[in-house]
Amino acid sequence: MPAIADRPPAIVRPTLTAASSESKSLYNQRLHILEGEKILASRYVLDGNVLPPSEGWIHAEADTAAPRTLENLASARRQFLASVQRSHVEAELPPVLLSEG
Amino acid sequence: MYLPSLREEVSQGDVFDALAYRYVYQRPDAPEPEIMVRVIRAMLLTADCEYDKPISAIVYVGEVRLMSEISPSTVGNVRAHKTYYAFPLEAHGSGLEESYVDFRRIFRFDKNLIAASASASGRILSLNDTARLALQEQLSLFFGLERETKHTEGQAGG
């Protein structure tokens, strides 16, 4: 078995079907840079789909739970941030101020 | 869910095109590990104030993957934010197909690479404020919510 560095890298050239011309240009620049680093890699995988999709999807809750939307999640986040801010304010108040109401 | 134009500064929730990283991958049936280079789209997950700190040399991004790779029976759950580790992204005319951020594929990057990508037009989208808050909330759920496990006190595994 030859050492990793002795083996020619297999270069996979994917097609970026959804990329804009600007991103394709950037992508090609990256590709050029990476090809200059062949000695460092045994295999070059230049697309995002070589690894299998994540498996074992775990769903957060039953279908009957309240729907999660961007707005609902953002609202929950705002409430959390507000509660943290309140607790920080309360924690930072000197005791004398608390006792004086 | 996106701003009409990019935020002035690099920010949490920005989508970057063509970030390259190298990693070691051991296939179960291969005698040796492979060193791979992948080029991915990714979303900056590091908070703004952390990104701005000069001492922060490393930032974190989550890989952006195509929604089309998910089985049809699961896509609905992802779109409804019911899948912890998949933050759904709407398609956008800039060239982004409907996608999701995979929180199970979070990578660390030298901040200089992110800055260089932004300078080279590699930053393609910014989330609006509502979507950024939703991202933060879902990240909190992903990292902070206790999963359904079989782990019990004093017993290994789970």
Side-chain angles (χ1 to χ4, degrees):
Chain A
M1 180 65 67
I4 287 177
D6 295 337
R7 280 184 282 157
I11 298 179
V12 181
R13 290 176 181 271
T15 302
L16 289 186
T17 53
S20 65
S21 58
E22 289 83 1
S23 62
K24 280 182 178 175
S25 173
L26 179 66
Y27 179 86
N28 287 333
Q29 289 175 29
R30 295 279 184 194
L31 186 63
H32 179 72
I33 293 169
L34 294 174
E35 285 182 342
E37 294 183 343
K38 284 178 186 174
I39 192 69
L40 298 177
S42 59
R43 183 162 185 264
Y44 283 75
V45 180
L46 296 172
D47 73 354
N49 297 313
V50 171
L51 292 179
S54 298
E55 294 179 358
W57 297 91
I58 301 170
H59 303 306
E61 52 200 39
D63 288 342
T64 54
R68 282 206 173 108
T69 62
L70 281 181
E71 289 72 21
N72 287 348
L73 285 167
S75 175
R77 185 64 183 166
R78 285 191 196 94
Q79 290 177 27
F80 168 76
L81 291 173
S83 68
V84 171
Q85 196 169 24
R86 272 198 303 274
S87 65
H88 280 186
V89 170
E90 290 165 3
E92 289 168 6
L93 280 176
V96 63
L97 289 182
L98 286 176
S99 64
E100 290 175 356
Chain B
M1 72 183 303
Y2 307 107
L3 290 175
S5 57
L6 294 172
R7 289 181 189 275
E8 189 172 345
E9 305 286 343
V10 172
S11 303
Q12 183 185 49
D14 285 354
V15 177
F16 290 81
D17 207 7
L19 293 177
Y21 74 95
R22 185 184 294 127
Y23 74 108
V24 178
Y25 182 55
Q26 176 67 62
R27 295 179 188 279
D29 55 349
E32 300 175 23
E34 293 174 288
I35 302 172
M36 294 185 173
V37 174
R38 298 181 65 223
V39 178
I40 59 171
R41 283 190 173 129
M43 175 174 283
L44 180 64
L45 301 180
T46 295
D48 294 354
C49 60
E50 194 65 33
Y51 183 90
D52 291 340
K53 286 184 171 67
I55 198 173
S56 297
I58 299 296
V59 297
Y60 296 92
V61 303
E63 182 173 338
V64 171
R65 297 177 67 93
L66 296 176
M67 191 74 85
S68 58
E69 73 179 20
I70 300 178
S71 68
S73 61
T74 299
V75 167
N77 283 309
V78 173
R79 287 177 178 150
H81 297 269
K82 289 185 175 180
T83 303
Y84 286 123
Y85 46 80
F87 184 78
L89 298 175
E90 298 168 0
H92 187 270
S94 65
L96 183 72
E97 297 178 38
E98 185 182 21
S99 302
Y100 66 99
V101 185
D102 192 340
F103 293 160
R104 300 205 301 192
R105 291 181 178 156
I106 293 178
F107 306 104
R108 39 180 275 151
F109 271 78
D110 186 319
K111 187 168 69 177
N112 290 328
L113 290 175
I114 300 298
S117 175
S119 299
S121 302
R123 188 167 66 120
I124 58 174
L125 286 169
S126 292
L127 292 183
N128 64 25
D129 289 347
T130 297
R132 266 164 53 102
L133 287 168
L135 171 71
Q136 293 166 7
E137 180 68 11
Q138 191 160 329
L139 275 170
S140 297
L141 291 171
F142 175 70
F143 282 112
L145 201 64
E146 188 161 349
R147 301 299 203 286
E148 179 185 354
T149 70
K150 293 181 172 59
H151 179 78
T152 56
E153 196 70 29
Q155 182 179 351

